[in-house]
Amino acid sequence: MSKKGSQKLKLLYLCQYLLRSSDEEHPVTMGDMIAYLAQQGHSRRAEEHI
């Protein structure tokens, strides 16, 4: 997948994660988001682009 396509996919994964896992009373950290992206197969590169 192209770099541009991969970045768009990461944004979609993050949107999905935030909608399902956070709200005003349950914030998520940057570390949580990086860990989620790693679970989705975007490990090392996830840290570079967030």
Side-chain angles (χ1 to χ4, degrees):
M1 183 178 295
S2 70
K3 183 176 179 178
K4 186 175 181 179
S6 179
Q7 289 175 342
K8 287 181 180 181
L9 190 58
K10 282 186 241 180
L11 287 174
L12 290 173
Y13 283 134
L14 284 176
C15 286
Q16 179 182 39
Y17 174 70
L18 291 170
L19 287 170
R20 292 181 179 177
S21 303
S22 69
D23 61 23
E24 292 179 12
E25 296 178 12
H26 302 95
V28 296
T29 66
M30 183 65 70
D32 294 335
M33 290 187 275
I34 290 171
Y36 180 77
L37 286 176
Q39 289 175 351
Q40 301 302 315
H42 299 282
S43 60
R44 187 79 174 134
R45 295 187 60 82
E47 296 176 22
E48 297 171 4
H49 294 289
I50 294 182

